[in-house]
Amino acid sequence: MLLVVKLSDENKEILMERSISKSSDLSLSYLTSLGIQSFAQYAGVTGGKPALVFDLLMKSDVLNCQHSMIDLMTNSYAQKAALWCLYGKSEMSSLSSQLLLHLNTSNPTQGVQSYNGEGTCQAICNVANMLTEEGDYNLASFVLLKARERFPHEPVSHAWIFCEQILSFTKAMHHSKWQEAENAVERLAAIDKWESQLRKAELCVAMGDYPGAATHVHNVLDYCRQRAEAECICPALRVRALILAAELQCCCAVATSAPAGSISLLTTALALAQLHYLDYLAALVSLHLANLQLQMGLPSQALKLINQSLNIILSHGGNYDQGRALLLYAKCKVAAAVGQATDMRKEILCEAIDMLNKAKMSFEKIESNCRVKDVLYLQGLLCNELGDVAERNRCALEFRQLDEQYPTKIPTMLLTHL
């Protein structure tokens, strides 16, 4: 019975604090720094204030520099990158990773020319993930190839294998190659079961298999509920699952009004994201809520929500999320202009077309042809209303050429999908 208590997660915070304090008293610098990093990781996933979490890591940095503990130094940078990513600050996450990669880790006294540890591999993979989000698939593949060459052995190799499958899945999804995406998800399951379940749910939604998507989402949510008491699961996993569950509610709704279940799921996700300081995920949830308000005929309220979160999406989001945000913003601007004076409405329509051009550029960068067609369709409608026949015909021609080259396999739902 005593062993079971020792292995449980009860009073984990107190035990970690005592361990750090005791190691410090005994001048065990390595264990003290390692304990601080572990405590910072625990605080990060259990809702600790970001300022306090990074303050803990700064104390670890001081010890690492004083005692030249290269491995813990690199782990600290990698942990900062992971925490910035968790909080939704992708630019800061990328900066931490690049600082690690530019760090001089040679130690001539020990004959070490360059330190190749897990933290270095994580930093390389983080850079590859950023390139994937930007649509630079070839560069991301090249970076992961370097990670494969430097870290061929387990368990470190799991990091770049994971990123390889995310790259394959993302590229296949934007190209509407469902079989390739499914293969990537199956390989991903060997590394991270629950990330694989979420990606499989995304694939099922894209294919129109809503019952299958619901099964995967509920599996993840059940797992999160079971592990909630242990307080050791990343909150971002549950928030993303709730967002997918809300999307499923919208896809299954046959009426134009948004289902109450979607609003409930999204408000739960928003509260959870705000509780754990997940700013980027909170901004994404706000966009989904704005999309529901647009469906309910409340474009003005939707615009207020978008204005609150758009800066975060444009500052830290990938091209796909930026394109979706701008596309939704244009829809809401047009919908809110109903009943305006003719001159005012024309001005708003011209602003919306400019915004759609930016969204189109984002979707083209990640090669999401289906989304590009969505933008062209809306641009054609707006140009037609403005009486710009030449621009309308150009959009129609580009849409037709794109549809012939990349036919849509699942009917798009412009009014329900974000």
Side-chain angles (χ1 to χ4, degrees):
M1 182 64 182
L2 180 60
L3 290 177
V4 174
V5 172
K6 292 295 183 185
L7 292 173
S8 71
D9 290 309
E10 294 181 5
N11 301 319
K12 187 173 182 179
E13 182 177 352
I14 298 174
L15 293 173
M16 294 177 74
E17 288 178 349
R18 289 178 179 175
S19 174
I20 295 170
S21 178
K22 194 66 175 177
S23 297
S24 179
D25 292 342
L26 296 173
S27 299
L28 302 175
S29 303
Y30 190 92
L31 291 179
T32 303
S33 180
L34 182 62
I36 291 173
Q37 290 185 11
S38 299
F39 190 43
Q41 178 180 342
Y42 174 80
V45 298
T46 54
K49 290 185 177 180
L52 297 178
V53 173
F54 284 103
D55 184 60
L56 282 172
L57 289 176
M58 186 181 297
K59 295 176 181 178
S60 173
D61 290 339
V62 172
L63 287 172
N64 297 337
C65 291
Q66 287 176 342
H67 300 278
S68 299
M69 296 181 288
I70 300 298
D71 55 341
L72 293 183
M73 198 180 298
T74 57
N75 285 341
S76 177
Y77 276 105
Q79 198 165 30
K80 288 174 186 175
L83 287 167
W84 281 123
C85 184
L86 177 67
Y87 296 136
K89 310 299 183 184
S90 61
E91 292 299 322
M92 291 300 298
S93 177
S94 177
L95 178 61
S96 296
S97 297
Q98 293 181 55
L99 284 173
L100 169 53
L101 294 176
H102 285 83
L103 184 67
N104 183 8
T105 57
S106 62
N107 192 339
T109 59
Q110 298 179 3
V112 178
Q113 297 298 323
S114 179
Y115 177 77
N116 281 334
E118 184 179 3
T120 307
C121 183
Q122 292 285 354
I124 295 174
C125 292
N126 193 32
V127 171
N129 284 335
M130 293 290 295
L131 292 171
T132 300
E133 291 292 321
E134 294 299 318
D136 296 321
Y137 303 129
N138 292 332
L139 287 176
S141 298
F142 179 77
V143 171
L144 288 175
L145 179 61
K146 294 301 179 182
R148 179 197 290 267
E149 293 173 354
R150 292 183 64 175
F151 306 96
H153 304 298
E154 295 184 357
V156 181
S157 61
H158 283 185
W160 59 259
I161 294 174
F162 177 89
C163 289
E164 274 190 341
Q165 305 318 314
I166 295 297
L167 170 59
S168 299
F169 174 82
T170 303
K171 188 175 180 180
M173 285 288 287
H174 292 326
H175 292 172
S176 299
K177 296 180 179 179
W178 312 134
Q179 188 58 52
E180 290 184 15
E182 187 171 0
N183 292 339
V185 167
E186 296 299 331
R187 292 191 295 268
L188 184 62
I191 306 298
D192 190 327
K193 176 182 178 181
W194 303 111
E195 182 67 26
S196 173
Q197 291 275 314
L198 275 184
R199 301 284 177 164
K200 188 64 178 292
E202 291 179 18
L203 175 60
C204 289
V205 170
M207 295 172 61
D209 180 12
Y210 303 137
T215 300
H216 296 298
V217 170
H218 291 152
N219 287 341
V220 176
L221 289 174
D222 290 342
Y223 168 73
C224 292
R225 278 191 288 267
Q226 292 170 5
R227 300 294 293 172
E229 295 181 0
E231 295 185 340
C232 60
I233 188 171
C234 181
L237 182 70
R238 187 183 176 194
V239 174
R240 290 168 59 205
L242 287 169
I243 292 174
L244 272 174
E247 285 186 349
L248 283 171
Q249 290 274 1
C250 289
C251 291
C252 295
V254 294
T256 55
S257 59
S262 293
I263 298 175
S264 176
L265 289 168
L266 288 174
T267 51
T268 301
L270 182 60
L272 186 62
Q274 291 175 340
L275 177 65
H276 289 85
Y277 306 97
L278 312 181
D279 292 343
Y280 187 77
L281 286 177
L284 278 183
V285 174
S286 296
L287 289 183
H288 283 276
L289 285 169
N291 190 46
L292 291 180
Q293 288 182 328
L294 176 62
Q295 294 177 45
M296 297 167 66
L298 303 170
S300 298
Q301 286 79 352
L303 277 175
K304 293 179 182 178
L305 268 181
I306 296 174
N307 285 324
Q308 293 173 6
S309 55
L310 188 60
N311 284 340
I312 296 177
I313 301 296
L314 297 181
S315 300
H316 300 284
N319 277 315
Y320 183 68
D321 286 340
Q322 289 184 29
R324 290 198 302 171
L326 291 171
L327 177 58
L328 178 63
Y329 196 25
K331 291 183 192 177
C332 292
K333 290 277 285 185
V334 173
V338 173
Q340 296 278 357
T342 304
D343 293 340
M344 179 65 70
R345 179 167 174 82
K346 284 184 177 181
E347 182 179 346
I348 292 174
L349 291 183
C350 290
E351 292 177 2
I353 290 174
D354 291 338
M355 207 169 298
L356 289 174
N357 283 327
K358 295 178 182 178
K360 181 170 172 283
M361 291 174 59
S362 295
F363 290 138
E364 285 176 339
K365 184 69 183 296
I366 59 172
E367 302 173 9
S368 181
N369 300 305
C370 182
R371 286 292 189 172
V372 173
K373 287 189 286 184
D374 290 348
V375 174
L376 288 171
Y377 176 77
L378 287 177
Q379 279 185 317
L381 291 178
L382 297 182
C383 290
N384 184 65
E385 183 174 343
L386 288 171
D388 190 345
V389 178
E391 188 65 18
R392 180 202 64 188
N393 291 343
R394 186 198 63 79
C395 291
L397 176 61
E398 191 174 348
F399 181 98
R400 179 180 177 182
Q401 291 174 340
L402 202 59
D403 194 50
E404 289 176 351
Q405 189 175 1
Y406 306 103
T408 302
K409 299 178 181 179
I410 299 296
T412 57
M413 292 180 287
L414 293 173
L415 294 179
T416 57
H417 277 126
L418 173 59

